[in-house]
């Protein structure tokens, strides 16, 4: 089974975010980047499927030169090959534009299965996978916690709201977006990191230049507070005493 | 092309209440633009659904009916709604941001060569659609630039649900569907196990997030919860790691809570978490990052090291309770 995993590189969660001078995106100069966490779960699912069923895991990432570090990390965890879609203009592409360049790079690979995270930690639009499936004419299912290969295709477990789940059977080739928590993430081993150096990373250029977008991000800004927050300051003991005062006289739970 | 079409959600004859929040968003949009508002619901046997319109402001309503739409599938919903959107020709299509919508709406938008503006928390004149970036650290204004219908989904709790009073007769719309178009076979819905912890009724909740760092540190927060007589809860990553059982998770994929006090320890407050705890009467947040989104909804905030503040607080609570 040939499994492609679409991964994205995003700013680290702890990163201090500053709005760029033009107010249209964030200041990227001091940021550290990492793999989008939901995509790490997609990679984990792919590696486990390969361990059970054999085959090949290929990671695919679109972005500038820096994304190769994320691809190397995926190779160190056990992916067999990597494809880097070299694109410095992702900010000028919306979901459809990004999904198109992913679709073009993936079509050539004729995968049995495509996995990706359910959403990205930066834009969080939560739809690249579904759009990609639509462009490739594949069936898809989202928020997947478990994947089982059956004789005729796949049986997956979808997460629904309120603690409900559902099994869905589907034919291959197919695309799944993976929810966190179904598996434990693995770390790259020293051996894995060594091996990664010998693995193939293919660089491709996007088939099309960024064109007209369907939606545009006009402005980014700090959210306004929904509540007036009273900040409590002082030493830990002082803060604790202030909280207890609030709990006694205002919140009234003590 | 004009007007606003709101796609409501039902499952097995029961409304998803988020539908009425989407309807409220649709009403706001239609009023702003001075255009008509229509609504649609997809499934089978829809005429049996109870009253659903809102004070007569809905101009038209469509029951998108087909035997193949009895159970939800992305293929069935996309094909059916593609036909309805072509017939109604709205300028805007508004959905509740449910797990079902997340599954099919992006594909539907792609059929029209559009991109879904998902998880919208506010709509301003323009129309400008506000959504959050980077786990709630920033807000962003989006506008449609394409020429087709604009597809929008609305985050839970962002719009006050429209009242369901006046019933407007639903016009049946029968899409042309073939069984062969539907590639997925959905199974029965199920729950893993009976939920034994009902966080929705807890008056005091102490909730822990990523900031706790290691499983061994959970005990620290457990002690605080015990001192306060509170239920212990967590954000998704804690449960994903197996540090606490899934049933203690608060958020869009976990439980929705509304305690007198929600004490958030080391929780940054990503949108999926805030959705589950916004109804709390009082919120106290302890976090090392002063820009954490949790402080936007907190009544009292402490920017500090939870490993120092929490033990001090546990001690102070014990002393206060004597």
């Amino acid at each position: 089974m040939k499994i492609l995993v679409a991964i994205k590189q995003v700013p680290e969660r702890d990163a201090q975010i500053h709005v760029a001078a033009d107010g249209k995106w964030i200041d990227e100069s001091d940021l550290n980047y990492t793999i989008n966490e939901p995509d790490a779960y997609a990679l984990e699912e792919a590696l486990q499927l390969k361990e059970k069923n054999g085959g090949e895991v290929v990671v695919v990432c679109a972005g500038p030169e820096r994304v190769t570090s994320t691809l190397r990390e995926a190779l160190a965890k056990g992916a067999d090959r990597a494809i880097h879609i070299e694109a410095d203009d992702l900010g000028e592409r919306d979901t459809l534009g990004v999904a198109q360049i992913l679709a073009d790079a993936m079509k050539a690979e004729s995968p049995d299965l495509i996995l990706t995270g359910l959403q990205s930690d930066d834009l969080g639009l939560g739809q690249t996978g579904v759009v990609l499936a639509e462009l490739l004419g594949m069936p898809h299912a989202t928020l997947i916690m478990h994947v089982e290969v059956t004789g005729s295709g796949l049986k997956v477990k979808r997460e629904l709201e309120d603690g409900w789940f559902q099994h869905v059977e589907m034919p291959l080739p197919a695309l799944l977006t993976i929810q966190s928590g179904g598996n434990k993430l693995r770390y790259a081993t020293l051996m894995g990191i060594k091996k990664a150096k010998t693995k193939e990373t293919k660089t491709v250029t996007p088939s099309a230049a960024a064109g007209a977008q369907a939606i545009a991000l006009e402005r980014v800004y700090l959210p306004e507070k929904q509540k007036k927050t009273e900040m409590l300051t002082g030493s830990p003991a002082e803060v604790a005493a202030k909280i207890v005062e609030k709990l006694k006289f205002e919140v009234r739970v003590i | 092309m004009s007007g606003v079409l709101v796609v409501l959600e039902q499952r097995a004859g029961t409304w998803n209440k988020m539908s009425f929040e989407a309807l409220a968003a649709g009403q706001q949009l239609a009023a702003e633009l001075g255009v008509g508002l229509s609504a649609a619901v997809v499934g089978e046997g829809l005429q049996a659904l109870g009253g659903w319109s809102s004070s007569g402001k809905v101009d038209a309503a469509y029951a998108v009916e087909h035997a193949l739409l009895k159970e939800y599938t992305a293929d069935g919903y996309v094909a059916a709604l593609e036909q309805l959107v072509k017939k109604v020709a709205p300028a805007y299509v508004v959905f509740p941001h449910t797990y079902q919508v997340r599954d099919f709406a992006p594909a539907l938008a792609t059929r029209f060569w559009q991109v879904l503006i998902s998880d919208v928390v506010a709509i301003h004149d323009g129309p400008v659609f506000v959504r959050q970036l980077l786990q709630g650290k920033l807000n962003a204004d989006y506008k449609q630039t394409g020429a087709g219908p604009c597809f929008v989904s609305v985050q839970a709790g962002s719009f006050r649900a429209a009242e369901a009073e006046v019933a407007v007769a639903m016009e049946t719309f029968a899409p042309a569907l073939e069984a062969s178009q539907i590639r997925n076979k959905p199974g029965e819905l199920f729950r893993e196990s009976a939920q034994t912890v009902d966080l929705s009724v807890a008056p005091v909740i102490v909730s822990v997030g990523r900031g706790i760092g290691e499983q061994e540190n959970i005990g620290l927060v457990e002690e605080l919860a015990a001192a306060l007589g509170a239920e212990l809860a967590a954000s998704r990553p804690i449960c994903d790691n197996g540090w606490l059982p899934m049933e203690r998770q608060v958020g869009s994929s976990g439980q929705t809570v509304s305690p007198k006090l929600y004490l958030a320890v080391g929780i940054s407050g990503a949108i999926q978490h805030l959705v589950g705890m916004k109804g709390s009467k009082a919120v106290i947040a302890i976090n090392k990052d002063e820009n954490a989104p949790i402080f936007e909804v907190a009544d009292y905030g402490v920017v500090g090291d939870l490993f120092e503040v929490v033990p001090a607080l546990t001690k102070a609570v014990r002393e206060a309770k004597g």
Side-chain angles (χ1 to χ4, degrees):
Chain A
M1 178 177 261
K2 189 195 250 189
I3 306 172
L4 300 192
V5 187
I7 61 180
K8 185 177 188 181
Q9 195 185 53
V10 296
E12 279 183 350
R13 276 175 190 263
D14 286 348
Q16 286 295 322
I17 300 294
H18 301 283
V19 175
D22 68 357
K24 299 221 167 212
W25 185 233
I26 54 172
D27 182 357
E28 294 190 328
S29 53
D30 286 331
L31 287 180
N32 289 320
Y33 288 87
T34 184
I35 185 169
N36 176 46
E37 192 176 273
D39 297 342
Y41 281 96
L43 174 62
E44 181 59 42
E45 185 64 54
L47 295 172
Q48 293 199 17
L49 282 170
K50 184 196 157 182
E51 282 158 11
K52 267 177 247 159
N53 306 293
E56 189 186 22
V57 173
V58 185
V59 283
V60 184
C61 184
E65 174 64 25
R66 63 170 154 75
V67 306
T68 51
S69 66
T70 294
L71 285 169
R72 263 198 304 279
E73 198 187 317
L75 293 173
K77 283 188 176 185
D80 299 289
R81 283 191 288 130
I83 297 173
H84 173 207
I85 306 168
E86 203 167 24
D88 292 323
D89 59 357
L90 288 191
E92 290 151 43
R93 297 174 192 263
D94 59 17
T95 310
L96 199 49
V98 172
Q100 274 177 288
I101 61 175
L102 287 170
D104 288 339
M106 287 178 161
K107 227 180 272 172
E109 292 280 336
S110 309
D112 298 300
L113 181 62
I114 300 174
L115 301 183
T116 191
L118 70 128
Q119 63 192 19
S120 60
D121 284 346
D122 56 356
L123 292 179
L125 282 156
Q127 53 188 309
T128 304
V130 178
V131 174
L132 186 56
E134 177 68 24
L135 294 178
L136 291 170
M138 285 181 186
H140 75 269
T142 55
L143 295 136
I144 300 305
M145 304 286 294
H146 183 74
V147 185
E148 200 185 313
V149 178
T150 63
S152 56
L154 298 176
K155 185 180 179 190
V156 300
K157 183 172 115 186
R158 270 198 84 201
E159 184 182 272
L160 308 172
E161 282 121 334
D162 277 337
W164 289 92
F165 298 92
Q166 180 178 33
H167 285 125
V168 178
E169 290 185 52
M170 57 207 298
L172 291 171
L175 183 145
L176 305 174
T177 79
I178 303 297
Q179 169 66 296
S180 61
N183 291 311
K184 292 248 178 306
L185 298 179
R186 71 187 64 189
Y187 292 100
T189 60
L190 212 59
M191 181 69 92
I193 294 166
K194 261 190 180 168
K195 268 192 178 165
K197 290 181 182 147
T198 64
K199 290 176 178 172
E200 178 199 320
T201 298
K202 187 163 85 180
T203 304
V204 298
T205 46
S207 43
Q213 299 193 100
I215 60 171
L217 174 54
E218 301 241 303
R219 186 170 78 98
V220 300
Y221 49 98
L222 288 172
E224 286 157 33
K225 286 191 187 298
Q226 292 165 30
K227 279 188 178 176
K228 204 169 155 51
T229 308
E230 185 181 336
M231 301 309 285
L232 308 174
T233 55
S235 69
E238 286 163 1
V239 167
K242 286 180 187 172
I243 294 176
V244 166
E245 286 296 294
K246 302 294 178 194
L247 296 181
K248 268 188 187 166
F249 302 111
E250 305 204 17
V251 187
R252 295 174 198 275
V253 293
I254 294 186
Chain B
M1 201 175 61
S2 75
V4 176
L5 172 68
V6 181
V7 179
L8 311 170
E9 181 172 317
Q10 63 86 33
R11 199 187 282 274
T14 308
W15 291 109
N16 184 326
K17 292 202 175 66
M18 275 171 69
S19 297
F20 301 107
E21 298 176 11
L23 193 59
Q27 278 176 351
Q28 187 197 319
L29 193 54
E32 226 161 65
L33 298 166
V35 297
L37 178 71
S38 54
V41 58
V42 184
E44 195 203 30
L46 298 169
Q47 295 295 350
L49 275 162
W52 62 278
S53 157
S54 52
S55 321
K57 281 180 196 147
V58 176
D59 302 306
Y62 303 94
V64 181
E65 295 255 5
H66 199 288
L68 291 169
L69 298 171
K70 184 167 186 246
E71 284 173 299
Y72 166 77
T73 59
D75 287 338
Y77 272 48
V78 168
L81 284 170
E82 183 186 5
Q83 293 170 43
L84 181 77
V85 170
K86 282 184 176 153
K87 173 193 152 81
V88 178
Y92 295 88
V93 184
V94 180
F95 303 92
H97 190 68
T98 61
Y99 278 28
Q100 191 174 91
V101 165
R102 290 165 71 168
D103 194 61
F104 76 85
L108 177 65
T110 305
R111 293 270 168 107
F112 291 87
W113 222 240
Q114 299 300 314
V115 172
L116 173 71
I117 304 178
S118 60
D119 229 348
V120 164
V121 296
I123 302 172
H124 297 152
D125 284 349
V128 170
F129 299 96
V130 184
R131 52 186 310 281
Q132 299 189 316
L133 300 183
L134 295 149
Q135 310 283 310
K137 284 183 190 158
L138 290 180
N139 274 9
D141 288 349
Y142 278 82
K143 264 192 170 172
Q144 187 201 23
T145 48
C150 177
F151 295 85
V152 176
S153 72
V154 175
Q155 174 60 240
S158 300
F159 292 82
R160 187 186 290 264
E163 284 168 32
E165 286 173 2
V166 186
V168 167
M170 288 198 279
E171 177 187 325
T172 297
F173 177 80
L177 290 177
E178 302 283 340
S180 60
Q181 284 175 277
I182 296 169
R183 296 165 291 185
N184 290 2
K185 287 187 184 57
E188 293 288 305
L189 306 194
F190 64 94
R191 276 190 143 142
E192 300 275 81
S193 57
Q195 297 238 333
T196 55
V197 187
D198 186 0
L199 297 176
S200 69
V201 297
V204 184
I205 291 176
V206 175
S207 197
V208 57
R210 273 178 203 272
I212 199 70
E214 306 277 341
Q215 181 166 21
E216 298 80 75
N217 300 333
I218 298 266
L220 214 62
V221 184
E222 234 161 350
E223 279 176 38
L224 175 59
L228 277 167
E231 281 287 357
L232 186 63
S235 62
R236 180 156 191 131
I238 300 298
C239 302
D240 280 348
N241 285 335
W243 297 352
L244 284 174
M246 277 291 178
E247 60 180 358
R248 291 199 179 267
Q249 189 205 139
V250 169
S252 59
S253 53
Q255 298 198 46
T256 301
V257 300
S258 50
K260 274 179 81 174
L261 170 66
Y262 191 84
L263 209 163
V265 178
I267 290 179
S268 68
I271 192 164
Q272 295 84 354
H273 187 78
L274 297 186
V275 165
M277 50 68 70
K278 270 199 296 203
S280 305
K281 309 289 173 299
V283 177
I284 300 180
I286 302 169
N287 203 296
K288 65 174 194 232
D289 177 7
E290 60 177 319
N291 294 318
I294 192 77
F295 290 126
E296 286 152 36
V297 299
D299 299 276
Y300 306 106
V302 178
V303 178
D305 182 351
L306 72 90
F307 297 103
E308 292 174 3
V309 176
V310 170
L313 181 57
T314 305
K315 185 163 168 267
V317 169
R318 281 186 189 139
E319 280 164 9
K321 284 194 158 183

